[in-house]
Amino acid sequence: MNTALSPDARADLIQKEMTRDEMLVLVDGYLGVAYQKGFHDPIPAWMKPLLPGSAGFVPGIPRLGIPALTESDASLGVANGGNMRPGDTAVALPSSLLTAATFNPSVAFEGGAMIGREARAKGFNVMLAGGVNLAREPRNGRTFEYVGEDPWLAGLIAGASIKGIQSQSIISTAKHFAFNDQETARTVMSVAMEEGDARESDLLAFEIALEKGDPGAIMCSYNRYKNVYACENPYLLTDVLRSDWGYQGFVLSDWGAVHSTEKAVNAGLDQESSNGSDAIDFFGTPLRDAVAKGTVPEARLRQMVHRILRTMFAKGLFDRPVVKGPIDVYGDLAVAQKNAEEGIVLLKNEKAALPLDPGKKRQKIAVIGGFADKGVLSGGGSSQVHGIGHTKDMHVSLGGGTKVIGGTTWTLPRDTGVLHATAPLAEIKKMAPKARVSFTDGDDIAQAVAAAKKADVAIVFATQYMTEGVDVIDLALPGNQNALIEAVAAANPNTIVVLETGGPVTMPWLDRVAGVVEAWYPGNGGAAAIARILFGEVNPSGRLPVTFPLAESQLPHPIITGQRPDRKIVGTSGTPTAYDVIYQEGSRVGYRWFEDQKLTPQFPFGYGLSYTSFAFENLKLVGASTIKAEFDVKNTGIRAGKTVAQVYVKPPFGPVRLVGFEKVELSPGESKHVTLYADRRLIAMFNADANQWNVAEGDYVVRLGGSATDKAAVGTVHVNAGTVRP
């Protein structure tokens, strides 16, 4: 307990006192509840009273004062409602994709710190947070949990969130390592991608997140990479993570991702998260026997335990143990609302239809659809937070039926989504007390059209539900929502669409509506944030962290590899066998793919409008070992606002890439001088044979603007050849 010693020295001291049996305790996790549907129950009777009622639990060693690891799903808040701890609520942050849309790491840090504080108050010391997987497949059911399609943005935002969580003496993970970029067949698929492409995309996002956030643990994923399961993949867990990146924390498995004992241990897995979700308890008796026989060296077991103990010391679990208590509901709700206000994106604003006038007398506002009278939608799965104000009435039925795509009939599940309080309808009424505000649920299109005809403005709320475990089949709004928007827009030219979606959606009605607001899954403060943006109390400043395609045909995979029309997963009948998911786009993810293929998207990466205007001027470039870009950003409009200055580079070889951005807040007429330096890895290509980044000598084209396609200023700069070791 001498805090003057290093975490390694403290771990060594306590480990000297441990028996082999005690060390084996720390590497074998359990479900944090005595029973959960879909899992078997291997939990011994003596342990059940100790369980925290959560995702995971690793018993401590009371004899030596080693605390238990009490683990909760996280990222969007402390996720422990439902069948785990009924009635337990927490403040729900917006989706991680919305946080990425802020382009503001300080907002991500504040949200992470809020999660860390609530975790402490609820008795948890490990947050299974830090989703870093790229939005390579925008129909991925977990797109909303991740932080966009660009490795620099994803790494910075995820790293800041992790750092925020751990500022509260809580361990945060980074996950899912690696290439878990789709849910379809996630447990059987094998990702086929060349190492250079992997290093320049998915792995680079993780590398940056680790550098910025220093997560105490890494969670390995379900899928295979080059036919080897991620949780027993020595290339990922040892060659990249340990040898190249020098990672010092521990690796834990995803729930159900372990398939062996010796192979997983010797590849670099340090802890089986939950033997209740794996086929057998691989790190229980089999590991005990393997160590006794020498097929797992005793030194490797000691290394596993050292990594766990070192992390517990380094992140403060010994020195600042968690203490249960009340959460700061109002303070934390303010954090969630600020997050939402910075990440909501204004996509269209024809003839300055927005903002609405909150003081206009006798204004008639028709609010239509999207459960706007009840709450705002959230994404489903293990990240599901039962937010403040949650009741059974917040569970709503979504989807169902069939859909014909390319002449094939696809089966759609009838999902049950969870809404977060409060209701946009109530917040709109609060913002415009002199207006006459009506609501129709949108199920009856004729009724919605009648309401729209009587109104000065029609606000249509549209939803797209995403959840862990299944991908959406396309990017269309489900059900009758496209038809509803078309009909309402025909009845009222002043129609505003507010989208609550897990990711990009197609908009066949785009040219017929006056405004579009992408609100994502905006969390507990989302309704107020939407209303404040609609009425101009907040100037929107979110920017798209993913490209919005015009149609699925523009994507590298028009239909997700492994997806079947009956929504069952290819390869899961009988004994699951690996099959390749070939990401032929390689490192050309998102906007890189669109530029490479000369495709025009519906909305480009980085795009977003404001109620004011900005100019990007006076670009000056300096090239040597990397690129230095200086420029001025000026507010040329009549309102204060924020913009995101973005710098993109097209090297002599390889795709265009975002190399820097800065969110700038300016008053009307105000200017700010910005200087950005490109991380050398962002302008390099990875040479797998030499295991290094190579910066090619030559002329690099630099673009400054407000999106991946905006060329407000363009210049060329010469860069010298060089190398960067990983």
Side-chain angles (χ1 to χ4, degrees):
M1 295 303 291
N2 181 358
T3 58
L5 298 176
S6 70
D8 283 300
R10 299 175 74 183
D12 285 341
L13 285 170
I14 201 167
Q15 197 168 0
K16 287 178 182 178
E17 306 299 322
M18 297 180 69
T19 67
R20 180 189 291 180
D21 285 346
E22 286 171 335
M23 286 192 287
L24 286 164
V25 167
L26 290 189
V27 300
D28 194 17
Y30 294 81
L31 284 169
V33 287
Y35 171 75
Q36 188 176 350
K37 185 178 179 181
F39 299 98
H40 57 273
D41 183 5
I43 300 171
W46 66 267
M47 190 186 296
K48 291 184 178 181
L50 304 177
L51 298 179
S54 66
F57 178 71
V58 180
I61 311 295
R63 181 180 74 85
L64 297 173
I66 300 174
L69 297 179
T70 50
E71 304 166 340
S72 172
D73 286 305
S75 285
L76 315 183
V78 182
N80 279 287
N83 65 347
M84 291 187 178
R85 302 205 302 187
D88 181 30
T89 60
V91 171
L93 281 179
S95 63
S96 296
L97 196 62
L98 184 151
T99 300
T102 69
F103 275 72
N104 191 341
S106 67
V107 169
F109 178 89
E110 291 172 8
M114 183 276 281
I115 293 173
R117 289 193 299 270
E118 291 202 358
R120 293 188 62 80
K122 292 175 177 292
F124 298 110
N125 56 21
V126 179
M127 290 283 98
L128 306 173
V132 192
N133 300 86
L134 290 186
R136 180 180 290 276
E137 173 46 74
R139 292 158 296 187
N140 179 2
R142 302 186 86 168
T143 296
F144 72 95
E145 289 188 55
Y146 299 143
V147 275
E149 68 191 26
D150 178 76
W152 183 242
L153 175 66
L156 291 183
I157 296 296
S161 176
I162 290 165
K163 189 174 182 180
I165 291 171
Q166 294 187 156
S167 71
Q168 304 302 307
S169 299
I170 300 292
I171 293 172
S172 175
T173 66
K175 65 184 186 184
H176 304 89
F177 192 65
F179 312 110
N180 190 175
D181 297 340
Q182 65 181 57
E183 290 296 276
T184 299
R186 67 180 184 178
T187 61
V188 298
M189 73 178 189
S190 178
V191 171
M193 192 191 315
E194 292 302 317
E195 183 181 345
D197 287 329
R199 292 280 195 148
E200 294 169 23
S201 54
D202 297 67
L203 294 183
L204 181 57
F206 274 97
E207 185 176 4
I208 294 165
L210 265 60
E211 292 169 357
K212 302 299 181 181
D214 188 26
I218 302 292
M219 182 189 292
C220 51
S221 55
Y222 290 114
N223 55 280
R224 295 171 166 104
Y225 176 58
K226 295 188 175 180
N227 289 317
V228 181
Y229 281 113
C231 289
E232 54 187 41
N233 193 309
Y235 168 75
L236 292 175
L237 302 186
T238 297
D239 297 348
V240 173
L241 189 62
R242 304 293 182 184
S243 299
D244 288 348
W245 297 349
Y247 181 65
Q248 294 182 289
F250 67 98
V251 176
L252 55 82
S253 65
D254 204 342
W255 274 235
V258 182
H259 300 272
S260 65
T261 301
E262 287 94 336
K263 190 173 181 180
V265 169
N266 293 329
L269 180 62
D270 299 310
Q271 187 180 79
E272 182 180 18
S273 291
S274 169
N275 56 61
S277 54
D278 294 320
I280 65 170
D281 183 3
F282 290 104
F283 280 26
T285 301
L287 178 56
R288 183 187 307 273
D289 293 343
V291 174
K293 292 186 297 184
T295 53
V296 169
E298 178 91 21
R300 172 66 184 122
L301 175 62
R302 297 190 66 83
Q303 181 186 59
M304 295 158 68
V305 173
H306 177 88
R307 289 170 175 170
I308 296 167
L309 290 171
R310 181 204 175 276
T311 297
M312 294 171 71
F313 280 115
K315 304 308 176 188
L317 272 61
F318 281 90
D319 303 324
R320 192 185 171 202
V322 296
V323 178
K324 289 186 179 181
I327 65 173
D328 178 8
V329 173
Y330 292 106
D332 293 351
L333 284 172
V335 171
Q337 182 174 324
K338 177 184 175 183
N339 190 328
E341 289 173 354
E342 284 228 16
I344 291 174
V345 184
L346 178 62
L347 293 177
K348 183 177 180 180
N349 194 18
E350 191 78 19
K351 297 180 181 178
L354 294 173
L356 303 175
D357 183 354
K360 186 177 180 180
K361 294 182 179 179
R362 292 185 293 276
Q363 181 178 201
K364 296 178 182 178
I365 301 174
V367 177
I368 300 167
F371 312 102
D373 60 329
K374 293 183 173 66
V376 293
L377 188 62
S378 63
S382 59
S383 68
Q384 180 71 69
V385 178
H386 286 228
I388 301 299
H390 176 81
T391 66
K392 290 183 179 180
D393 293 339
M394 308 303 281
H395 294 250
V396 293
S397 179
L398 299 156
T402 60
K403 186 171 190 174
V404 178
I405 300 178
T408 301
T409 300
W410 292 72
T411 301
L412 303 178
R414 180 164 293 281
D415 296 305
T416 299
V418 175
L419 303 178
H420 291 317
T422 54
L425 178 64
E427 295 295 332
I428 288 170
K429 289 180 177 179
K430 190 185 302 182
M431 287 295 304
K434 298 178 182 179
R436 301 175 186 175
V437 183
S438 65
F439 176 76
T440 55
D441 60 21
D443 291 340
D444 185 330
I445 292 180
Q447 185 184 43
V449 166
K453 285 181 177 179
K454 298 175 184 177
D456 299 306
V457 58
I459 306 175
V460 182
F461 284 79
T463 61
Q464 173 218 39
Y465 182 63
M466 282 185 163
T467 182
E468 177 183 358
V470 63
D471 300 320
V472 296
I473 62 171
D474 59 21
L475 297 178
L477 291 171
N480 71 344
Q481 292 181 103
N482 281 331
L484 171 67
I485 294 168
E486 295 266 9
V488 170
N492 189 326
N494 198 20
T495 293
I496 309 298
V497 178
V498 178
L499 297 167
E500 295 173 19
T501 70
V505 290
T506 51
M507 306 177 199
W509 34 261
L510 182 61
D511 61 349
R512 291 182 284 283
V513 299
V516 180
V517 175
E518 175 56 83
W520 316 104
Y521 298 149
N524 257 143
I530 291 168
R532 280 162 56 84
I533 284 173
L534 289 175
F535 287 92
E537 198 163 303
V538 171
N539 193 342
S541 63
R543 300 294 183 264
L544 294 181
V546 290
T547 302
F548 276 46
L550 281 167
E552 292 79 13
S553 60
Q554 292 185 321
L555 299 174
H557 300 266
I559 294 177
I560 297 175
T561 304
Q563 199 172 60
R564 298 196 324 196
D566 58 3
R567 301 306 297 272
K568 293 180 181 178
I569 297 171
V570 170
T572 55
S573 59
T575 302
T577 56
Y579 69 97
D580 283 344
V581 176
I582 302 172
Y583 291 128
Q584 72 268 21
E585 70 276 15
S587 66
R588 291 165 169 79
V589 179
Y591 66 89
R592 300 180 182 186
W593 168 261
F594 275 75
E595 179 157 325
D596 183 75
Q597 299 294 306
K598 297 180 173 56
L599 298 170
T600 300
Q602 185 168 242
F603 293 107
F605 173 90
Y607 176 85
L609 300 176
S610 170
Y611 295 149
T612 190
S613 56
F614 299 92
F616 303 99
E617 305 170 324
N618 305 320
L619 175 64
K620 296 179 181 178
L621 303 171
V622 178
S625 61
T626 187
I627 297 172
K628 173 185 176 183
E630 294 186 72
F631 52 89
D632 297 317
V633 183
K634 183 176 182 180
N635 185 337
T636 57
I638 59 173
R639 288 175 177 261
K642 300 176 184 178
T643 190
V644 180
Q646 302 163 45
V647 176
Y648 297 83
V649 169
K650 179 67 172 71
F653 307 99
V656 67
R657 60 280 305 265
L658 176 71
V659 301
F661 62 87
E662 184 165 329
K663 197 159 198 177
V664 181
E665 184 171 12
L666 298 169
S667 300
E670 184 183 5
S671 293
K672 182 179 179 180
H673 190 70
V674 177
T675 302
L676 297 174
Y677 294 86
D679 185 305
R680 294 177 72 202
R681 292 167 297 186
L682 300 180
I683 61 172
M685 297 186 72
F686 192 84
N687 185 320
D689 293 333
N691 197 42
Q692 66 185 21
W693 296 90
N694 289 342
V695 180
E697 180 166 2
D699 293 333
Y700 288 63
V701 178
V702 180
R703 304 193 315 231
L704 167 66
S707 76
T709 59
D710 184 21
K711 299 177 183 178
V714 181
T716 302
V717 64
H718 191 82
V719 176
N720 299 328
T723 59
V724 182
R725 298 297 298 179

